[in-house]
């Protein structure tokens, strides 16, 4: 087994975190690596965030949800047969799709020590709205769930497909974003009438603040501001637990048993993003163990020198004019040239990635169709883990 290869990562790591911008095949990569590890005899869970329906179909599941589901054995057997390999005993693959709201609720329940406080938070209409949209809440829920699962002994390997955000590494900053949202001066200002009076009242405030908040209350409604204040006062009581979990997650992600896998396409913008992700991970002391480049153009054959005579001879048999033959020859020539240009550009991107990332990028060529079944996953797996 080649040291530092994706095969070695699947066999030896406890956690693989797959990162990349949206639309580069990140979810399919995560599912395929998880499936290969299961075929090798490991007990694996793949945690996805926003999978396409076809991925659930490919894994033989009706739908992916927050509850863990077992991928049917016949799907694993199909992939093993397509790869021409014997399936190791004892391995299995579970899959789940993170429900952001439920995952965030689980964290709140863990750290709200007072049942009455928990009940008030859960029933607060402001919480019900922002628990799924508060800056960083989706990413925080993902890494928090990963940490929770890492504490169990049910799995040899956890594979996390990170959220499809504009910045694929938002989850590194998510705990700070949640804290900053609660601790922001604007929120503290709205909370002040509640914390000083026990209910939301402007009587305890200075003249200037009271005037401004009265104006805001006329615009937004005093009941609405009271709900906001009550929510953040209650929620601040669980923030100590949130910060504690954030520290635990950061510690976990720096362990030797954890590796990150970068996924990108060979397009210049995607490569730039992958290099930026690599830089961020290095600065955070988190190990990049693999790199996958999806939709790579392979060098095509050169245009045959005898193409024109061949076309002429065929066209004469079919009664096609020489002008039409020449047009066809020109189009074929352009197609050959374009393929070579794309292949050359992709090769440069791969070389640039390899020089910076220090691991050999695994290439997945431009495939003729989307991955929608076990045979498709088997094909991708041959490129990732030959």
């Amino acid at each position: 087994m080649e040291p530092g290869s994706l095969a070695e990562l699947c066999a030896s790591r406890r956690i693989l975190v797959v990162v990349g911008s949206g639309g580069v095949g990140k979810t399919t990569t995560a599912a395929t690596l998880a499936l290969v590890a299961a075929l090798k005899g490991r007990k694996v869970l793949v945690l996805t965030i926003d999978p396409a329906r076809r991925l659930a179909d490919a894994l033989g599941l009706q739908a992916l949800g927050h509850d863990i589901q077992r991928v049917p054995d016949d799907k694993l057997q199909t992939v093993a047969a397509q790869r021409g390999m014997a399936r190791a005993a004892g391995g299995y693959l579970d899959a789940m799709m993170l429900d952001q709201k439920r995952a965030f609720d689980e964290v709140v329940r863990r750290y709200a020590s007072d049942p009455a406080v928990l009940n008030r938070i859960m029933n607060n209409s402001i919480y019900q709205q922002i628990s799924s949209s508060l800056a960083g809440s989706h990413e925080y829920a993902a890494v928090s769930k990963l940490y929770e699962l890492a504490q169990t002994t049910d799995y040899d390997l956890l594979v996390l497909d990170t959220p499809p955000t504009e910045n694929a590494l938002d989850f590194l900053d998510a705990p700070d974003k949640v804290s900053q949202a609660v601790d922001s001066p604007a929120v503290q200002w709205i909370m002040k009438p509640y914390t000083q009076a026990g209910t939301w009242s402007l009587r305890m405030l200075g003249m200037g603040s009271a005037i401004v908040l009265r104006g805001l209350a006329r615009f937004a409604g005093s009941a609405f501001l009271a709900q906001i204040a009550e929510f953040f006062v209650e929620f601040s009581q669980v923030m100590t637990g949130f910060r504690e979990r954030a520290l635990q997650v950061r510690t976990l992600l720096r362990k030797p048993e954890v590796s990150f896998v970068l996924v990108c396409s060979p397009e210049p913008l995607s490569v730039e993003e992958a290099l930026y992700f690599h830089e961020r991970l290095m600065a955070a002391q988190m190990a990049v163990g693999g790199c996958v480049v999806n939709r790579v153009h392979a060098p095509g054959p050169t245009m045959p020198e005898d193409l024109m005579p061949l076309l002429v001879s065929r066209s004469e048999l079919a009664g096609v004019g020489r002008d039409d033959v020449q047009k066809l020859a020109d189009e074929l020539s352009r197609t050959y040239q374009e393929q070579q240009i794309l292949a050359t550009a992709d090769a440069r991107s791969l070389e640039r990635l390899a020089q910076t990332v220090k691991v050999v990028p695994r290439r997945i060529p431009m495939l003729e169709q989307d991955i929608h079944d076990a045979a498709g996953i088997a094909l991708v797996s041959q490129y990732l883990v030959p």
Side-chain angles (χ1 to χ4, degrees):
M1 188 180 300
E2 180 186 349
S5 66
L6 292 177
E8 192 268 336
L9 294 182
C10 289
S12 65
R13 297 300 188 270
R14 178 82 205 286
I15 296 174
L16 293 179
V17 183
V18 182
V19 299
S21 54
V24 294
K26 184 174 51 177
T27 301
T28 299
T29 298
T32 303
L33 291 175
L35 195 146
V36 168
L39 293 179
K40 298 288 188 179
R42 305 196 81 191
K43 301 175 179 65
V44 188
L45 171 67
V46 57
L47 172 59
T48 69
I49 305 300
D50 188 25
R53 170 68 207 180
R54 63 180 179 274
L55 180 61
D57 292 340
L59 294 175
L61 303 173
Q62 290 296 318
L64 283 173
H66 196 73
D67 297 319
I68 294 173
Q69 299 181 65
R70 178 66 49 85
V71 174
D73 279 349
D74 65 303
K75 289 295 178 182
L76 272 67
Q77 196 58 48
T78 297
V79 175
Q82 292 279 340
R83 286 176 57 94
M85 62 178 284
R87 180 183 167 191
Y92 59 78
L93 175 59
D94 287 348
M96 69 173 290
M97 182 185 74
L98 181 78
D99 182 316
Q100 176 184 348
K101 179 75 167 61
R102 283 181 60 182
F104 204 75
D105 288 350
E106 288 170 4
V107 180
V108 173
R109 287 192 181 94
R110 175 178 293 274
Y111 291 112
S113 55
D114 185 341
V117 170
L118 173 62
N119 187 59
R120 287 196 295 271
I121 291 175
M122 291 295 177
N123 291 322
N124 187 294
S125 60
I126 303 299
Y127 172 77
Q128 293 168 9
Q129 291 295 321
I130 71 173
S131 57
S132 58
S133 59
L134 183 66
S137 61
H138 198 172
E139 294 80 10
Y140 186 98
V143 292
S144 181
K145 189 66 178 180
L146 176 68
Y147 177 84
E148 177 189 322
L149 291 166
Q151 306 315 302
T152 73
T153 57
D154 297 339
Y155 299 103
D156 304 318
L157 174 65
L158 301 169
V159 182
L160 173 65
D161 166 34
T162 50
T165 54
E166 290 183 7
N167 183 344
L169 295 184
D170 277 350
F171 70 92
L172 295 178
D173 303 321
D176 294 332
K177 287 183 179 179
V178 174
S179 297
Q180 289 165 7
V182 176
D183 297 335
S184 69
V187 169
Q188 295 298 317
W189 199 46
I190 293 174
M191 287 167 55
K192 194 174 181 181
Y194 190 95
T195 55
Q196 291 190 355
T199 58
W200 201 77
S201 172
L202 301 178
R203 295 174 185 172
M204 305 292 290
L205 294 183
M207 181 68 71
S209 296
I211 290 173
V212 174
L213 283 174
R214 280 196 189 96
L216 186 58
R218 280 196 296 270
F219 176 75
S222 57
F224 178 71
L225 292 183
Q227 277 192 317
I228 292 177
E230 179 185 1
F231 162 67
F232 280 108
V233 167
E234 303 281 14
F235 193 72
S236 4
Q237 297 180 43
V238 303
M239 279 311 299
T240 300
F242 269 65
R243 295 186 182 100
E244 175 189 326
R245 172 59 61 88
L247 179 61
Q248 292 169 336
V249 167
R250 286 195 180 99
T251 301
L252 171 68
L253 294 178
R254 291 188 177 106
K255 288 186 174 182
E257 65 199 43
V258 179
S259 282
F260 287 76
V261 177
L262 294 173
V263 182
C264 66
S265 75
E267 296 175 1
L269 181 58
S270 184
V271 171
E272 287 294 335
E273 289 176 334
L275 293 175
Y276 168 71
F277 300 156
H278 179 265
E279 182 182 347
R280 282 285 313 276
L281 291 168
M282 292 296 97
Q285 299 178 321
M286 296 175 184
V288 175
C291 181
V292 174
V293 186
N294 196 19
R295 297 193 288 272
V296 177
H297 292 89
T302 58
M303 182 170 164
E305 294 182 1
D306 61 346
L307 179 61
M308 190 62 185
L310 179 63
L311 290 175
V312 169
S313 65
R314 297 293 183 186
S315 64
E316 288 174 349
L317 292 175
V320 178
R322 189 173 183 85
D323 288 345
D324 290 333
V325 173
Q326 187 61 55
K327 286 181 182 178
L328 176 59
D330 291 343
E331 289 175 5
L332 288 170
S333 177
R334 281 194 296 272
T335 300
Y336 277 108
Q337 291 172 8
E338 288 170 2
Q339 179 67 22
Q340 295 299 335
I341 290 170
L342 290 170
T344 301
D346 288 359
R348 287 174 183 160
S349 293
L350 287 162
E351 183 179 355
R352 186 176 175 213
L353 269 173
Q355 289 174 349
T356 302
V357 178
K358 306 301 183 186
V359 295
V360 178
R362 298 302 311 175
R363 312 178 187 193
I364 302 177
M366 183 75 73
L367 301 176
E368 293 182 2
Q369 59 187 19
D370 288 334
I371 305 305
H372 63 276
D373 56 15
I377 287 185
L379 177 60
V380 171
S381 74
Q382 292 281 24
Y383 292 106
L384 295 180
V385 185

